[in-house]
Amino acid sequence: MSSSDNDVVIDPQTIKELQVFEAAISDVDTEVTAKQYLMSRAIFEARQRTIAKIPSFWAVTFDNAAAELEAAVTPADLEVFSAALTAVEVTRPEIPASASPSDVGLDKFGEPRSLCFTFRFSENEWFSDPVLTKTFYFRYGADGSAGLVSEPVKVHWKSSDKDLTKGLGDAALEFWRAQKADPSQQLDGVLANAARHARDAAAKKMPAYKALAARLEDNAEGIVSFFNFFSYRGRWISAAEHVEAKAKLLAKRQAAISGSEMDEDEDDDDEDEDFTEEAVETFPAGHEVAVTLAEDIFPNAIDYFMGTAIDSDIEIDDDEDEDEEMEG
C-alpha cells in the first residue's frame, strides 16, 4: 500500500477548529506568563539588591549565556558590562496596573508579551547614559504576521572611538526619525499590500536609508555588538494596525467556532520580500534575543552566573557537607 493510499482528508472547517484550539492553548500560555510575572516581580526586585553585592554579576551571566543570546555579546561588550553594568530589569509594560494573579481570562492582562528592558550603568568611559531603556511591543500585522516591534534608542557615546556599533545605532535612529518626520510614510497608520510596498519604495529613496544601508554593508565589526539591540526595530506594525488586525483575528476565531464563513483577506504576492526596516535591520536577532532575555536569562540569572562560579577557583561554602563530615 503506497503512502498516498493513507492520506487523510480533513475538511476545511475541521482545520479551522483545530487552529482555534491551538490559539486557545497559546492564550492560556500567555495568561500563565502574565500571572507568573505578577507573582515573581517582588522576588526579582529583592534579588537585585543581593546581586548588587556581587562584582560583574551581569557580565558573567551574559558571558555564560552567549549561545542563548545568538552570540550577540562580543568581548568588547563584556568589557563594558564588567566595568559598568550594575542592574538589569525586565517588565511587561502592557499588563494593566489593576491586574492580579487571581484574575481569570487573558483579557484581564492586556498584552503580556510586550517587554521593557532597563539596563543600569555606573560612570564609565564609553557612554554618558546611566540608564538605557528599550521597549518592545507585541503586535499583530494586517498581513497576518505577529512579533515584537520597537523604536530605536539613542546611546550617547562619549566619542566615535568608543561607539561599539561603529555608528550603526545612530544611523538607524536617523532613518527612524526621517520616516517619522515624513507624513507620507504613515508610520502610525494602517497599510498593507500595495500601499505598504509603495511606502517602502519611497523610504528606500531617503538619504537616511541609503546612509544606513551603506554603513551596514561596510561595517562588519560594528554590526555584531550587543548595543545594536537598542536600535532594533523589527517588522514595523503601528498600534492602529495592531488593533485592527487583532480584531479581525478574533472575529475569524469566532467564525471558525460557529462554522460561519468570513471573506478571506487579499493575498500579498510579495509576502517573501523584505520590508524596508528588515532590509536595514541592525540587530536581526532582536525578537529572539528579547524573548530569551525575558523568559530564560533574566529569571534564571543566578543559574547562568553560577555556571562559571562553580567551575572556577571561587570557593563556595557548603554547610551541609561540613555537617556530614562532622557526623562521620
Coordinates of all heavy atoms in Angstrom, one line a residue, residues 170-244:
D170 N 23.3 55.1 15.6 CA 22.9 56.5 15.3 C 22.3 56.5 13.9 O 21.4 57.3 13.7 CB 24.2 57.4 15.3 CG 24.6 57.7 16.8 OD1 23.8 57.5 17.7 OD2 25.7 58.2 16.9
A171 N 22.9 55.8 12.9 CA 22.3 55.7 11.6 C 20.9 55.2 11.6 O 20.0 55.7 10.9 CB 23.2 54.9 10.7
A172 N 20.7 54.1 12.4 CA 19.3 53.6 12.5 C 18.3 54.5 13.1 O 17.2 54.7 12.6 CB 19.4 52.3 13.3
L173 N 18.8 55.3 14.1 CA 17.9 56.3 14.7 C 17.6 57.4 13.7 O 16.5 57.9 13.7 CB 18.6 56.9 15.9 CG 17.9 57.9 16.7 CD1 16.6 57.3 17.3 CD2 18.7 58.4 17.9
E174 N 18.6 57.8 12.9 CA 18.3 58.9 11.9 C 17.3 58.5 10.9 O 16.5 59.2 10.5 CB 19.7 59.3 11.3 CG 20.6 60.1 12.2 CD 19.9 61.4 12.7 OE1 19.2 62.1 11.9 OE2 19.9 61.6 14.0
F175 N 17.4 57.2 10.4 CA 16.4 56.7 9.5 C 15.0 56.7 10.1 O 14.1 57.1 9.4 CB 16.8 55.3 9.0 CG 15.8 54.7 8.0 CD1 15.3 55.4 7.0 CD2 15.4 53.4 8.2 CE1 14.4 54.8 6.1 CE2 14.5 52.8 7.4 CZ 14.0 53.5 6.3
W176 N 14.9 56.2 11.3 CA 13.6 56.2 12.0 C 13.1 57.6 12.1 O 11.9 57.9 11.8 CB 13.8 55.6 13.4 CG 12.7 55.8 14.3 CD1 12.6 56.7 15.4 CD2 11.4 55.1 14.3 NE1 11.4 56.6 16.0 CE2 10.6 55.7 15.4 CE3 10.9 54.1 13.5 CZ2 9.3 55.2 15.6 CZ3 9.6 53.7 13.8 CH2 8.8 54.2 14.8
R177 N 13.9 58.6 12.5 CA 13.4 60.0 12.7 C 13.0 60.5 11.3 O 12.0 61.3 11.2 CB 14.5 60.8 13.3 CG 14.8 60.5 14.8 CD 16.0 61.3 15.3 NE 16.1 61.2 16.8 CZ 17.1 61.6 17.5 NH1 18.2 62.1 16.8 NH2 17.2 61.4 18.8
A178 N 13.7 60.2 10.2 CA 13.4 60.7 8.9 C 12.0 60.2 8.5 O 11.2 60.9 7.9 CB 14.4 60.3 7.9
Q179 N 11.7 58.9 8.8 CA 10.4 58.3 8.4 C 9.3 59.0 9.3 O 8.2 59.3 8.8 CB 10.4 56.8 8.7 CG 11.1 56.0 7.6 CD 10.9 54.5 7.8 OE1 11.4 53.9 8.7 NE2 10.1 54.0 6.9
K180 N 9.6 59.2 10.6 CA 8.6 59.7 11.4 C 8.2 61.2 11.0 O 7.1 61.6 11.2 CB 9.1 59.7 12.9 CG 9.1 58.4 13.5 CD 7.8 57.8 13.9 CE 7.2 58.5 15.1 NZ 5.9 57.9 15.6
A181 N 9.2 61.9 10.5 CA 9.0 63.3 10.1 C 8.3 63.5 8.8 O 7.9 64.6 8.5 CB 10.4 64.0 10.1
D182 N 8.2 62.4 8.0 CA 7.6 62.4 6.7 C 6.2 61.9 6.8 O 6.0 60.7 6.9 CB 8.5 61.6 5.7 CG 8.0 61.7 4.3 OD1 6.9 62.2 4.1 OD2 8.8 61.4 3.4
P183 N 5.2 62.8 6.6 CA 3.8 62.3 6.7 C 3.4 61.3 5.7 O 2.6 60.4 6.0 CB 3.0 63.6 6.5 CG 3.9 64.7 6.8 CD 5.3 64.2 6.4
S184 N 4.1 61.2 4.6 CA 3.7 60.2 3.6 C 4.1 58.8 4.0 O 3.6 57.8 3.4 CB 4.4 60.6 2.2 OG 5.8 60.4 2.3
Q185 N 5.0 58.7 5.0 CA 5.4 57.4 5.4 C 4.3 56.7 6.3 O 4.3 55.5 6.4 CB 6.7 57.5 6.2 CG 7.9 57.7 5.3 CD 8.3 56.5 4.5 OE1 8.7 55.5 4.9 NE2 8.0 56.6 3.2
Q186 N 3.5 57.5 6.9 CA 2.3 57.0 7.7 C 2.7 55.9 8.6 O 2.1 54.8 8.7 CB 1.3 56.5 6.7 CG 0.7 57.6 5.8 CD -0.4 57.0 4.9 OE1 -1.4 56.6 5.4 NE2 -0.2 57.0 3.6
L187 N 3.8 56.1 9.4 CA 4.2 55.0 10.4 C 3.1 54.8 11.4 O 3.2 53.7 12.1 CB 5.5 55.4 11.0 CG 6.7 55.4 10.1 CD1 8.0 55.6 11.0 CD2 6.8 54.1 9.3
D188 N 2.2 55.7 11.7 CA 1.2 55.5 12.6 C -0.1 55.0 12.0 O -1.1 54.8 12.7 CB 0.9 56.8 13.4 CG 2.1 57.2 14.3 OD1 2.8 56.3 14.8 OD2 2.3 58.4 14.4
G189 N -0.1 54.7 10.7 CA -1.3 54.3 10.0 C -1.4 52.8 9.8 O -0.7 52.0 10.4
V190 N -2.4 52.4 9.0 CA -2.7 51.0 8.7 C -2.5 50.8 7.2 O -3.3 51.3 6.4 CB -4.1 50.6 9.1 CG1 -4.4 49.2 8.8 CG2 -4.4 50.9 10.6
L191 N -1.4 50.2 6.9 CA -1.0 50.0 5.5 C -0.8 48.5 5.2 O -0.2 47.8 6.0 CB 0.2 50.8 5.1 CG 0.2 52.3 5.2 CD1 1.5 52.9 4.8 CD2 -1.0 52.9 4.3
A192 N -1.2 48.0 4.1 CA -1.0 46.6 3.7 C -0.9 46.5 2.2 O -1.3 47.4 1.5 CB -2.1 45.7 4.2
N193 N -0.2 45.4 1.8 CA -0.1 45.1 0.4 C 0.4 46.3 -0.4 O 1.5 46.8 -0.2 CB -1.4 44.6 -0.2 CG -1.9 43.4 0.6 OD1 -1.1 42.6 1.1 ND2 -3.2 43.2 0.6
A194 N -0.3 46.7 -1.5 CA 0.3 47.7 -2.4 C 0.6 49.0 -1.7 O 1.7 49.6 -2.0 CB -0.8 48.0 -3.5
A195 N -0.2 49.4 -0.7 CA 0.1 50.7 0.0 C 1.4 50.6 0.8 O 2.2 51.5 0.9 CB -1.1 51.1 0.9
R196 N 1.6 49.4 1.4 CA 2.8 49.2 2.2 C 4.0 49.2 1.3 O 5.0 49.7 1.6 CB 2.7 47.9 3.0 CG 3.9 47.4 3.8 CD 4.1 48.2 5.0 NE 5.3 48.0 5.7 CZ 5.5 47.6 6.9 NH1 4.5 47.4 7.7 NH2 6.7 47.4 7.4
H197 N 3.9 48.5 0.2 CA 5.0 48.4 -0.7 C 5.4 49.8 -1.3 O 6.6 50.1 -1.5 CB 4.8 47.4 -1.8 CG 4.7 46.0 -1.4 ND1 5.8 45.4 -0.7 CD2 3.8 45.0 -1.4 CE1 5.5 44.2 -0.4 NE2 4.3 43.9 -0.8
A198 N 4.4 50.6 -1.5 CA 4.6 52.0 -2.1 C 5.4 52.8 -1.0 O 6.3 53.5 -1.4 CB 3.3 52.6 -2.4
R199 N 5.0 52.7 0.2 CA 5.7 53.4 1.3 C 7.1 52.9 1.4 O 8.1 53.7 1.6 CB 5.0 53.2 2.7 CG 5.7 53.9 3.8 CD 5.0 53.7 5.1 NE 5.3 52.4 5.7 CZ 4.7 51.9 6.8 NH1 3.8 52.6 7.4 NH2 5.0 50.7 7.2
D200 N 7.3 51.6 1.3 CA 8.7 51.1 1.4 C 9.6 51.5 0.3 O 10.7 51.8 0.5 CB 8.6 49.5 1.4 CG 8.2 49.0 2.8 OD1 7.9 49.8 3.7 OD2 8.0 47.8 2.9
A201 N 9.0 51.6 -0.9 CA 9.8 52.0 -2.1 C 10.2 53.5 -1.9 O 11.3 53.8 -2.2 CB 8.9 51.9 -3.4
A202 N 9.3 54.3 -1.3 CA 9.7 55.7 -1.1 C 10.7 55.8 0.0 O 11.6 56.7 -0.1 CB 8.4 56.5 -0.7
A203 N 10.6 55.0 1.0 CA 11.6 55.0 2.1 C 13.0 54.7 1.6 O 14.0 55.3 2.1 CB 11.2 54.1 3.2
K204 N 13.1 53.8 0.7 CA 14.4 53.4 0.2 C 15.1 54.5 -0.6 O 16.3 54.4 -0.9 CB 14.3 52.1 -0.6 CG 13.9 50.9 0.2 CD 13.8 49.6 -0.6 CE 13.5 48.4 0.3 NZ 13.3 47.2 -0.5
K205 N 14.4 55.5 -0.9 CA 15.0 56.6 -1.7 C 15.5 57.7 -0.7 O 16.1 58.7 -1.1 CB 14.0 57.2 -2.6 CG 13.5 56.3 -3.7 CD 12.5 56.9 -4.6 CE 12.0 55.9 -5.7 NZ 10.9 56.5 -6.5
M206 N 15.2 57.6 0.6 CA 15.6 58.6 1.6 C 17.1 58.5 1.8 O 17.7 57.5 1.9 CB 14.9 58.3 2.9 CG 13.4 58.6 2.9 SD 12.7 58.3 4.6 CE 11.1 59.1 4.4
P207 N 17.7 59.7 1.9 CA 19.2 59.7 2.2 C 19.5 59.0 3.5 O 20.6 58.3 3.5 CB 19.5 61.2 2.3 CG 18.4 61.9 1.5 CD 17.2 61.0 1.7
A208 N 18.7 59.0 4.5 CA 19.0 58.3 5.7 C 18.9 56.8 5.6 O 19.7 56.1 6.2 CB 18.0 58.7 6.8
Y209 N 18.1 56.3 4.7 CA 18.0 54.9 4.4 C 19.3 54.5 3.7 O 20.0 53.5 4.1 CB 16.8 54.5 3.6 CG 16.9 53.1 3.1 CD1 16.3 52.1 3.8 CD2 17.5 52.7 1.9 CE1 16.3 50.8 3.4 CE2 17.5 51.4 1.5 CZ 16.9 50.4 2.2 OH 17.0 49.1 1.8
K210 N 19.7 55.3 2.7 CA 20.9 54.9 1.9 C 22.2 55.0 2.8 O 23.1 54.1 2.7 CB 21.0 55.9 0.8 CG 19.9 55.7 -0.3 CD 20.1 56.7 -1.4 CE 18.9 56.6 -2.4 NZ 19.0 57.6 -3.5
A211 N 22.2 55.9 3.8 CA 23.3 56.0 4.6 C 23.4 54.8 5.6 O 24.5 54.3 5.8 CB 23.2 57.3 5.5
L212 N 22.3 54.4 6.1 CA 22.3 53.2 7.0 C 22.6 52.0 6.2 O 23.4 51.1 6.7 CB 20.9 53.1 7.6 CG 20.6 51.8 8.5 CD1 21.7 51.7 9.6 CD2 19.2 51.8 9.0
A213 N 22.1 51.8 5.0 CA 22.4 50.6 4.2 C 23.9 50.6 3.9 O 24.5 49.5 3.9 CB 21.6 50.7 2.9
A214 N 24.5 51.7 3.6 CA 26.0 51.8 3.3 C 26.8 51.4 4.5 O 27.8 50.7 4.4 CB 26.3 53.2 2.8
R215 N 26.4 51.9 5.7 CA 27.1 51.5 6.9 C 27.0 50.0 7.2 O 28.0 49.4 7.6 CB 26.5 52.3 8.1 CG 27.1 53.7 8.2 CD 26.8 54.3 9.6 NE 27.4 55.6 9.8 CZ 28.6 55.8 10.2 NH1 29.4 54.8 10.5 NH2 29.1 57.0 10.3
L216 N 25.8 49.4 7.0 CA 25.7 48.0 7.2 C 26.6 47.2 6.2 O 27.2 46.2 6.6 CB 24.2 47.6 7.0 CG 23.3 47.9 8.1 CD1 21.8 47.8 7.7 CD2 23.5 47.0 9.3
E217 N 26.7 47.7 5.0 CA 27.5 47.0 4.0 C 29.0 47.1 4.3 O 29.7 46.1 4.1 CB 27.2 47.5 2.6 CG 27.9 46.8 1.5 CD 27.5 47.3 0.1 OE1 26.5 48.1 0.1 OE2 28.2 46.9 -0.8
D218 N 29.4 48.2 4.9 CA 30.8 48.5 5.1 C 31.3 48.2 6.5 O 32.5 48.3 6.8 CB 31.2 49.9 4.7 CG 30.8 50.2 3.3 OD1 30.8 49.3 2.5 OD2 30.6 51.4 2.9
N219 N 30.4 47.8 7.4 CA 30.8 47.7 8.8 C 30.6 46.4 9.4 O 29.6 46.1 10.1 CB 29.9 48.8 9.6 CG 30.4 49.0 11.0 OD1 31.3 48.3 11.4 ND2 29.9 50.0 11.6
A220 N 31.5 45.5 9.1 CA 31.4 44.1 9.6 C 31.6 44.0 11.1 O 31.1 43.2 11.9 CB 32.4 43.2 8.9
E221 N 32.4 45.0 11.7 CA 32.8 45.0 13.1 C 31.6 45.5 14.0 O 31.2 44.8 14.9 CB 34.0 45.8 13.3 CG 34.5 45.8 14.8 CD 35.7 46.7 15.0 OE1 36.2 47.2 14.0 OE2 36.1 46.8 16.2
G222 N 31.1 46.6 13.6 CA 30.0 47.2 14.4 C 28.7 46.5 14.5 O 28.0 46.5 15.5
I223 N 28.4 45.7 13.4 CA 27.1 45.0 13.4 C 27.0 43.9 14.4 O 25.9 43.5 14.7 CB 26.9 44.5 12.0 CG1 25.4 44.2 11.8 CG2 27.7 43.3 11.7 CD1 25.0 43.9 10.3
V224 N 28.1 43.4 15.0 CA 28.0 42.3 15.9 C 27.8 42.7 17.3 O 27.7 41.9 18.2 CB 29.2 41.4 15.7 CG1 29.3 40.8 14.3 CG2 30.5 42.1 16.1
S225 N 27.9 44.0 17.7 CA 27.8 44.4 19.1 C 26.4 44.3 19.6 O 25.4 44.5 19.0 CB 28.2 45.9 19.2 OG 28.0 46.4 20.5
F226 N 26.3 43.9 20.9 CA 25.1 43.7 21.6 C 24.4 45.1 21.7 O 23.1 45.2 21.7 CB 25.2 43.2 23.0 CG 24.0 43.1 23.8 CD1 23.1 42.0 23.6 CD2 23.6 44.1 24.7 CE1 21.9 41.9 24.3 CE2 22.4 44.0 25.4 CZ 21.5 42.9 25.2
F227 N 25.1 46.2 21.6 CA 24.5 47.5 21.7 C 23.6 47.9 20.6 O 22.9 48.8 20.6 CB 25.6 48.6 22.0 CG 26.0 48.6 23.4 CD1 27.1 47.7 23.8 CD2 25.4 49.3 24.4 CE1 27.5 47.7 25.2 CE2 25.8 49.3 25.7 CZ 26.8 48.5 26.1
N228 N 23.7 47.1 19.5 CA 22.7 47.3 18.4 C 21.3 46.8 18.8 O 20.3 47.1 18.1 CB 23.2 46.5 17.1 CG 24.3 47.2 16.4 OD1 24.3 48.4 16.1 ND2 25.3 46.4 16.1
F229 N 21.2 46.1 19.9 CA 19.9 45.7 20.5 C 19.1 46.9 20.7 O 17.8 46.9 20.5 CB 20.2 45.0 21.8 CG 19.0 44.6 22.6 CD1 18.3 43.5 22.3 CD2 18.6 45.3 23.7 CE1 17.2 43.1 23.0 CE2 17.5 44.9 24.5 CZ 16.8 43.8 24.1
F230 N 19.7 48.1 21.0 CA 19.0 49.3 21.3 C 18.5 50.0 20.1 O 17.6 50.9 20.2 CB 19.8 50.2 22.2 CG 20.2 49.7 23.5 CD1 21.4 49.1 23.8 CD2 19.2 49.6 24.5 CE1 21.7 48.5 25.0 CE2 19.5 49.1 25.8 CZ 20.8 48.5 26.0
S231 N 18.9 49.6 18.9 CA 18.4 50.2 17.7 C 17.5 49.3 16.9 O 17.1 49.6 15.8 CB 19.6 50.7 16.8 OG 20.5 49.6 16.4
Y232 N 17.2 48.1 17.5 CA 16.3 47.1 16.8 C 15.0 47.7 16.6 O 14.4 48.5 17.4 CB 16.2 45.9 17.7 CG 15.1 44.9 17.2 CD1 15.3 44.0 16.2 CD2 13.8 45.0 17.8 CE1 14.3 43.2 15.8 CE2 12.8 44.1 17.4 CZ 13.1 43.2 16.4 OH 12.1 42.4 16.0
R233 N 14.4 47.4 15.4 CA 13.0 47.9 15.1 C 12.1 46.7 14.8 O 10.9 46.8 15.3 CB 13.0 48.8 13.8 CG 13.6 50.1 14.0 CD 13.6 51.0 12.7 NE 12.2 51.1 12.2 CZ 11.9 51.8 11.1 NH1 12.9 52.4 10.5 NH2 10.7 52.0 10.7
G234 N 12.5 45.7 14.1 CA 11.6 44.6 13.7 C 10.7 45.1 12.5 O 10.9 46.1 12.0
R235 N 9.8 44.2 12.2 CA 8.9 44.5 11.0 C 7.8 45.4 11.5 O 6.9 45.0 12.2 CB 8.3 43.1 10.5 CG 7.5 43.2 9.3 CD 7.2 41.8 8.8 NE 6.4 41.9 7.6 CZ 6.1 40.8 6.8 NH1 6.6 39.6 7.2 NH2 5.3 40.9 5.8
W236 N 8.0 46.7 11.2 CA 7.2 47.7 11.9 C 5.7 47.5 11.7 O 5.2 47.4 10.6 CB 7.6 49.1 11.4 CG 6.8 50.2 12.1 CD1 5.8 50.9 11.6 CD2 6.9 50.5 13.5 NE1 5.3 51.8 12.6 CE2 5.9 51.5 13.7 CE3 7.7 50.0 14.6 CZ2 5.8 52.1 15.0 CZ3 7.5 50.6 15.8 CH2 6.6 51.6 16.0
I237 N 5.0 47.6 12.8 CA 3.5 47.5 12.8 C 3.0 48.6 13.8 O 3.4 48.6 14.9 CB 3.0 46.1 13.3 CG1 3.5 45.0 12.4 CG2 1.5 46.1 13.4 CD1 3.3 43.6 13.0
S238 N 2.2 49.5 13.3 CA 1.7 50.5 14.2 C 0.7 50.0 15.2 O 0.1 49.0 15.0 CB 1.1 51.6 13.3 OG -0.2 51.2 12.7
A239 N 0.4 50.8 16.2 CA -0.6 50.5 17.2 C -1.9 50.4 16.6 O -2.7 49.5 16.9 CB -0.6 51.5 18.3
A240 N -2.3 51.3 15.6 CA -3.6 51.2 15.0 C -3.7 50.0 14.1 O -4.8 49.4 14.1 CB -3.7 52.5 14.1
E241 N -2.7 49.6 13.4 CA -2.7 48.4 12.6 C -2.9 47.1 13.6 O -3.6 46.2 13.2 CB -1.4 48.2 11.8 CG -1.4 47.0 10.9 CD -0.2 46.9 10.1 OE1 0.5 47.9 9.9 OE2 0.1 45.8 9.6
H242 N -2.2 47.1 14.7 CA -2.3 46.0 15.6 C -3.8 45.9 16.1 O -4.3 44.8 16.2 CB -1.4 46.3 16.8 CG -1.7 45.5 18.0 ND1 -1.4 44.1 18.1 CD2 -2.3 45.7 19.2 CE1 -1.8 43.6 19.2 NE2 -2.3 44.6 20.0
V243 N -4.4 47.0 16.5 CA -5.8 46.9 17.0 C -6.7 46.3 15.9 O -7.6 45.5 16.2 CB -6.3 48.3 17.4 CG1 -7.8 48.3 17.7 CG2 -5.5 48.8 18.6
E244 N -6.6 46.8 14.7 CA -7.4 46.4 13.6 C -7.2 44.9 13.3 O -8.1 44.1 13.1 CB -7.2 47.2 12.3 CG -8.1 46.9 11.2 CD -7.9 47.9 10.0 OE1 -8.1 49.1 10.2 OE2 -7.5 47.4 8.9

